[in-house]
Amino acid sequence: MTERQAELLLGEGRHPDADRIEAELLEAGDDPVKARRATVLGRPIEHIKGPHIESPWLAMDLVFRAPSTAQSAWALVDDETRRVLELCQDIARDKTLARLEESVAQIRWGSGGKHRAPVKDGLIIAVFRHYESRAGKPLLHDHAVVSIKARRPDGKWGNVSTDDLLDNIVAAGTLYTLTFMEEVSARLGWAWEPREVTPGRRPVMEIAGIDQRLIGWQSTRRQQIADALPVLMANYEETQGHPPGERAAYALDQQAADRTRPPKRKEARSLSELRERWRDSAIRAFGACTVYRLAERARAAAAAVWARVRPAVDVALAAVDTVAVVYVMRGAFKRRHLLAEARRHLAYVLRGRPHQPGLDEQIVQAAIDDYTRPAGRRMMTADLRALYPRDTEDQAVLRPLTRNRSAPPYERARLAAGALTARVHAVRRADRLSSRALPHTVALPAAPTSRLRPDRADRKVGRDQEQATDVAAVEQTRRVFEAAAQRTVWPLEAFYFHDDFERLESMEAAPAIRAD
């Protein structure tokens, strides 16, 4: 696509070959207005505009960016390894866009968009790559500009449902990150480990063995934003009378980013020149050994990580954990929220090892079938009676933890997931002691099935019959479950997951995919 074609499609909502089409119609004697209208895809822009619409929305800019340690490695390693990392970026981006196109994108038409159908010939996407941030630091990222113009099943042109795309951005971001991790591990032999950015918030996954000081060197914007946040936080508390919640904190973080954003640099530099500057800067800051042995140390760290991480996924535990985390974080949720959390689970459990295709959907289906109940027409929530049968002692744990509003939401979610995991292990140990079959563990690439469904008699017990528990008892029970979880194959720390994206939900690290 040429620059002019992009301008016509993404800027005016017209056919990329509108100039040629219009010229041919005019030469054939058509009226100029009719000839121009023939090049418009769907409704003309002037028909879209309204009193509350400053400009029509003709495209979405999805930005794909890798984790911070991958950025540092890409900037400092040799050219061959750099090209491999760029290939991993290409594959992860393209697979994510393909999933959005196949499973999410819908064309809509009719009054209020009442008619919907899959896009006939796929989405029209223009992809271009940037290599640096506004601060001049390495930042490999791709812009995927998605046109909202697409063809309906009848061949006519219409608009893609942008609401569907935006609603699924978080799940798409976790898919991109999971795919990028697996490609890097498969091609370079590197593993991944969690890094806590903000206490009580979701950790992010980073390449094991890469000097963490390089993150600060590469992410100078994060420090600028952190320096501007206290003033915004203080103003919020003074105005609202209470500290900001998770969503408000994220909005303030975005305000700080906007206020501290430097202007774009005008002069162009080649990638080789940029990499030479970055390498010299890193050597001056951290020494030549840190730079030149980066890949070697990453491979050594990967061997240590994979020696203690099982290349298997327990679908039952993954389903329990997914429901617990999403329930505490959101209360009511949809399938896409479970899907995003299931992919975070896979990212942590496998640390870059490949997962069986469709395993994320399998985890979600097990969670929905066994541990959720309807919560309105389109929402669902956790089925606490399924997660905590009445005849178990850990019934007292979940609700006091989820109601402890003084702790960050993800901290509460992590504790609840740990308690549930300990309960699952306790049930399994009881099964083994009674010599019953134990069809729960699933090793890749076998296709697991969901079990651990509580008895119907247990599910009929009313919530009003639950016993009250004082704070001391709850804390004691929590400590018991944490200790029990540490002794099992899946320790409590195995539920600290990566939240790569989340312009809409995440409050900590920069997103893997964001919609600009």
Side-chain angles (χ1 to χ4, degrees):
M1 180 180 292
T2 66
E3 183 176 349
R4 175 57 180 165
Q5 288 176 319
E7 179 184 355
L8 288 167
L9 176 64
L10 304 175
E12 300 180 17
R14 300 168 66 194
H15 195 285
D17 295 327
D19 290 340
R20 176 184 57 80
I21 296 172
E22 187 174 0
E24 291 175 353
L25 293 175
L26 290 174
E27 186 177 351
D30 281 4
D31 179 76
V33 175
K34 183 179 178 181
R36 180 179 176 82
R37 178 66 184 87
T39 67
V40 174
L41 305 179
R43 300 180 66 191
I45 291 178
E46 55 267 25
H47 291 176
I48 301 176
K49 290 183 178 179
H52 304 295
I53 303 177
E54 296 181 3
S55 60
W57 193 359
L58 296 176
M60 295 175 58
D61 181 13
L62 305 182
V63 184
F64 295 78
R65 54 167 297 174
S68 296
T69 45
Q71 302 285 350
S72 300
W74 168 81
L76 301 175
V77 294
D78 59 87
D79 280 337
E80 182 179 356
T81 307
R82 169 187 64 82
R83 286 191 289 270
V84 172
L85 288 169
E86 291 176 2
L87 176 61
C88 296
Q89 170 79 354
D90 293 339
I91 294 172
R93 178 203 65 219
D94 292 346
K95 284 187 175 181
T96 303
L97 289 174
R99 180 67 67 87
L100 282 174
E101 184 178 72
E102 295 167 2
S103 305
V104 177
Q106 286 192 318
I107 195 79
R108 58 182 177 82
W109 68 95
S111 176
K114 63 181 179 181
H115 301 298
R116 291 174 179 254
V119 177
K120 181 179 181 181
D121 298 320
L123 298 172
I124 302 174
I125 305 173
V127 177
F128 56 96
R129 175 162 291 172
H130 284 165
Y131 294 124
E132 60 178 327
S133 67
R134 290 173 179 258
K137 293 296 185 178
L139 186 62
L140 174 69
H141 63 286
D142 294 336
H143 292 262
V145 183
V146 183
S147 172
I148 69 167
K149 300 294 184 179
R151 293 181 65 189
R152 291 162 25 184
D154 59 7
K156 296 181 179 180
W157 287 83
N159 291 343
V160 173
S161 173
T162 54
D163 289 344
D164 290 338
L165 291 176
L166 287 174
D167 286 344
N168 286 273
I169 285 293
V170 174
T174 55
L175 175 62
Y176 159 76
T177 301
L178 178 61
T179 305
F180 182 81
M181 290 171 56
E182 292 180 355
E183 291 296 329
V184 169
S185 296
R187 297 174 186 276
L188 295 175
W190 297 351
W192 299 78
E193 61 185 0
R195 176 176 69 92
E196 187 178 66
V197 178
T198 303
R201 303 276 177 85
R202 296 180 187 272
V204 297
M205 299 301 291
E206 300 287 1
I207 299 172
I210 292 184
D211 196 321
Q212 297 293 294
R213 295 176 299 171
L214 291 174
I215 296 176
W217 166 78
Q218 180 264 335
S219 305
T220 55
R221 286 281 295 128
R222 173 51 53 186
Q223 187 57 49
Q224 294 172 353
I225 294 171
D227 293 340
L229 266 178
V231 176
L232 295 176
M233 292 281 192
N235 292 340
Y236 181 94
E237 291 190 33
E238 183 178 353
T239 303
Q240 303 295 330
H242 59 81
E246 196 161 4
R247 290 184 179 275
Y250 182 67
L252 294 175
D253 189 82
Q254 293 301 306
Q255 290 184 30
D258 293 338
R259 292 187 181 185
T260 58
R261 177 173 287 118
K264 289 186 176 180
R265 186 171 45 80
K266 301 298 183 181
E267 68 277 9
R269 296 174 183 167
S270 67
L271 178 57
S272 58
E273 180 183 1
L274 288 171
R275 279 169 44 83
E276 184 178 353
R277 286 171 176 260
W278 294 332
R279 188 177 291 109
D280 291 342
S281 171
I283 289 174
R284 288 195 303 269
F286 310 113
C289 185
T290 299
V291 174
Y292 292 116
R293 297 188 61 190
L294 184 149
E296 177 186 346
R297 289 175 172 172
R299 286 191 294 271
V305 169
W306 284 333
R308 67 175 186 270
V309 174
R310 295 175 57 192
V313 176
D314 190 318
V315 172
L317 284 180
V320 166
D321 178 83
T322 296
V323 169
V325 173
V326 175
Y327 170 68
V328 176
M329 296 290 288
R330 303 189 63 89
F333 45 84
K334 295 185 178 181
R335 183 185 182 91
R336 64 176 183 267
H337 302 122
L338 295 173
L339 186 59
E341 194 62 42
R343 288 167 178 166
R344 296 184 192 107
H345 181 95
L346 291 175
Y348 184 90
V349 169
L350 297 178
R351 304 294 183 93
R353 295 182 187 270
H355 71 280
Q356 180 185 8
L359 187 56
D360 50 353
E361 297 280 359
Q362 190 174 356
I363 293 171
V364 171
Q365 195 58 51
I368 292 174
D369 290 344
D370 289 353
Y371 303 115
T372 66
R373 60 179 177 81
R377 190 162 61 93
R378 297 183 178 180
M379 306 291 285
M380 67 184 88
T381 190
D383 187 344
L384 299 185
R385 294 173 184 171
L387 289 168
Y388 281 83
R390 182 68 178 85
D391 60 350
T392 61
E393 295 180 359
D394 46 345
Q395 177 70 42
V397 176
L398 182 64
R399 292 192 177 179
L401 286 176
T402 57
R403 290 174 178 170
N404 180 13
R405 299 302 178 185
S406 61
Y410 189 71
E411 182 70 23
R412 289 184 275 118
R414 186 171 60 189
L415 291 173
L420 284 168
T421 304
R423 172 195 166 266
V424 172
H425 283 298
V427 171
R428 290 176 175 178
R429 282 194 296 272
D431 287 344
R432 286 196 296 271
L433 291 175
S434 61
S435 301
R436 290 202 294 252
L438 189 61
H440 65 272
T441 302
V442 177
L444 294 177
T449 57
S450 172
R451 297 301 298 269
L452 300 178
R453 188 72 171 176
D455 294 337
R456 291 293 176 183
D458 294 332
R459 296 173 61 86
K460 294 180 181 179
V461 179
R463 285 187 173 84
D464 57 339
Q465 296 179 1
E466 295 176 4
Q467 296 179 351
T469 306
D470 58 29
V471 175
V474 170
E475 182 61 22
Q476 176 63 27
T477 306
R478 181 184 67 80
R479 287 196 294 268
V480 170
F481 284 131
E482 287 183 352
Q486 291 293 342
R487 293 193 296 269
T488 61
V489 175
W490 301 97
L492 185 61
E493 67 175 7
F495 298 93
Y496 296 7
F497 304 116
H498 170 50
D499 182 55
D500 80 30
F501 163 80
E502 318 224 302
R503 187 171 180 85
L504 303 178
E505 295 177 3
S506 165
M507 311 303 145
E508 53 278 356
I513 300 180
R514 71 173 188 272
D516 285 353

